[in-house]
mmCIF file of all heavy atoms in Angstrom:
data_model
loop_
_atom_site.group_PDB
_atom_site.id
_atom_site.type_symbol
_atom_site.label_atom_id
_atom_site.label_comp_id
_atom_site.label_asym_id
_atom_site.label_seq_id
_atom_site.Cartn_x
_atom_site.Cartn_y
_atom_site.Cartn_z
ATOM 1 N N THR J 298 -29.685 85.815 -136.700
ATOM 2 C CA THR J 298 -28.838 85.421 -135.509
ATOM 3 C C THR J 298 -29.538 84.363 -134.663
ATOM 4 O O THR J 298 -28.911 83.649 -133.885
ATOM 5 C CB THR J 298 -28.523 86.610 -134.541
ATOM 6 O OG1 THR J 298 -29.722 86.960 -133.877
ATOM 7 C CG2 THR J 298 -27.914 87.810 -135.260
ATOM 8 N N PHE J 299 -30.831 84.134 -134.909
ATOM 9 C CA PHE J 299 -31.579 82.973 -134.189
ATOM 10 C C PHE J 299 -31.615 81.737 -135.013
ATOM 11 O O PHE J 299 -32.295 80.788 -134.668
ATOM 12 C CB PHE J 299 -32.959 83.434 -133.781
ATOM 13 C CG PHE J 299 -33.048 84.092 -132.449
ATOM 14 C CD1 PHE J 299 -32.582 85.439 -132.341
ATOM 15 C CD2 PHE J 299 -33.486 83.481 -131.349
ATOM 16 C CE1 PHE J 299 -32.739 86.109 -131.065
ATOM 17 C CE2 PHE J 299 -33.701 84.107 -130.056
ATOM 18 C CZ PHE J 299 -33.159 85.448 -130.013
ATOM 19 N N GLY J 300 -30.795 81.716 -136.143
ATOM 20 C CA GLY J 300 -30.756 80.382 -136.766
ATOM 21 C C GLY J 300 -31.199 80.413 -138.289
ATOM 22 O O GLY J 300 -31.194 79.355 -138.963
ATOM 23 N N ALA J 301 -31.707 81.587 -138.820
ATOM 24 C CA ALA J 301 -32.092 81.559 -140.220
ATOM 25 C C ALA J 301 -30.923 81.676 -141.142
ATOM 26 O O ALA J 301 -29.822 82.162 -140.653
ATOM 27 C CB ALA J 301 -33.034 82.753 -140.423
ATOM 28 N N ASN J 302 -31.022 81.180 -142.344
ATOM 29 C CA ASN J 302 -29.773 81.272 -143.265
ATOM 30 C C ASN J 302 -30.177 81.796 -144.662
ATOM 31 O O ASN J 302 -29.539 81.562 -145.652
ATOM 32 C CB ASN J 302 -28.911 80.036 -143.290
ATOM 33 C CG ASN J 302 -29.805 78.869 -143.957
ATOM 34 O OD1 ASN J 302 -31.014 78.777 -143.812
ATOM 35 N ND2 ASN J 302 -29.124 77.911 -144.665
ATOM 36 N N VAL J 303 -31.470 82.226 -144.753
ATOM 37 C CA VAL J 303 -31.996 82.687 -146.069
ATOM 38 C C VAL J 303 -32.786 83.964 -145.822
ATOM 39 O O VAL J 303 -33.463 84.108 -144.776
ATOM 40 C CB VAL J 303 -32.939 81.574 -146.638
ATOM 41 C CG1 VAL J 303 -33.824 82.144 -147.754
ATOM 42 C CG2 VAL J 303 -32.221 80.343 -147.103
ATOM 43 N N THR J 304 -32.670 84.897 -146.804
ATOM 44 C CA THR J 304 -33.564 86.092 -146.737
ATOM 45 C C THR J 304 -34.030 86.428 -148.060
ATOM 46 O O THR J 304 -33.336 86.041 -149.074
ATOM 47 C CB THR J 304 -32.838 87.241 -145.945
ATOM 48 O OG1 THR J 304 -33.806 88.277 -145.698
ATOM 49 C CG2 THR J 304 -31.623 87.810 -146.749
ATOM 50 N N MET J 305 -35.086 87.129 -148.174
ATOM 51 C CA MET J 305 -35.747 87.377 -149.406
ATOM 52 C C MET J 305 -35.878 88.801 -149.771
ATOM 53 O O MET J 305 -36.891 89.417 -149.529
ATOM 54 C CB MET J 305 -37.174 86.741 -149.322
ATOM 55 C CG MET J 305 -37.144 85.209 -149.196
ATOM 56 S SD MET J 305 -38.861 84.780 -148.896
ATOM 57 C CE MET J 305 -38.882 83.173 -149.111
ATOM 58 N N PRO J 306 -34.934 89.413 -150.526
ATOM 59 C CA PRO J 306 -34.960 90.735 -150.967
ATOM 60 C C PRO J 306 -36.264 90.973 -151.896
ATOM 61 O O PRO J 306 -36.496 90.047 -152.648
ATOM 62 C CB PRO J 306 -33.759 91.017 -151.748
ATOM 63 C CG PRO J 306 -32.843 89.834 -151.536
ATOM 64 C CD PRO J 306 -33.583 88.681 -150.951
ATOM 65 N N ASN J 307 -36.887 91.971 -151.746
ATOM 66 C CA ASN J 307 -38.203 92.251 -152.514
ATOM 67 C C ASN J 307 -37.851 92.797 -153.837
ATOM 68 O O ASN J 307 -37.211 93.922 -153.916
ATOM 69 C CB ASN J 307 -39.151 93.195 -151.707
ATOM 70 C CG ASN J 307 -40.464 93.041 -152.261
ATOM 71 O OD1 ASN J 307 -40.713 92.665 -153.443
ATOM 72 N ND2 ASN J 307 -41.529 93.475 -151.530
ATOM 73 N N LEU J 308 -38.210 92.162 -154.967
ATOM 74 C CA LEU J 308 -38.002 92.649 -156.376
ATOM 75 C C LEU J 308 -39.260 93.127 -156.979
ATOM 76 O O LEU J 308 -39.244 93.487 -158.163
ATOM 77 C CB LEU J 308 -37.430 91.518 -157.200
ATOM 78 C CG LEU J 308 -36.235 90.842 -156.743
ATOM 79 C CD1 LEU J 308 -35.807 89.744 -157.777
ATOM 80 C CD2 LEU J 308 -35.037 91.774 -156.501
ATOM 81 N N THR J 309 -40.379 93.116 -156.205
ATOM 82 C CA THR J 309 -41.645 93.555 -156.777
ATOM 83 C C THR J 309 -41.611 95.058 -157.157
ATOM 84 O O THR J 309 -41.033 95.820 -156.465
ATOM 85 C CB THR J 309 -42.742 93.374 -155.740
ATOM 86 O OG1 THR J 309 -42.623 92.039 -155.290
ATOM 87 C CG2 THR J 309 -44.155 93.657 -156.368
#
Side-chain angles (χ1 to χ4, degrees):
T298 69
F299 273 75
N302 67 327
V303 165
T304 190
M305 297 171 163
N307 195 339
L308 305 180
T309 308

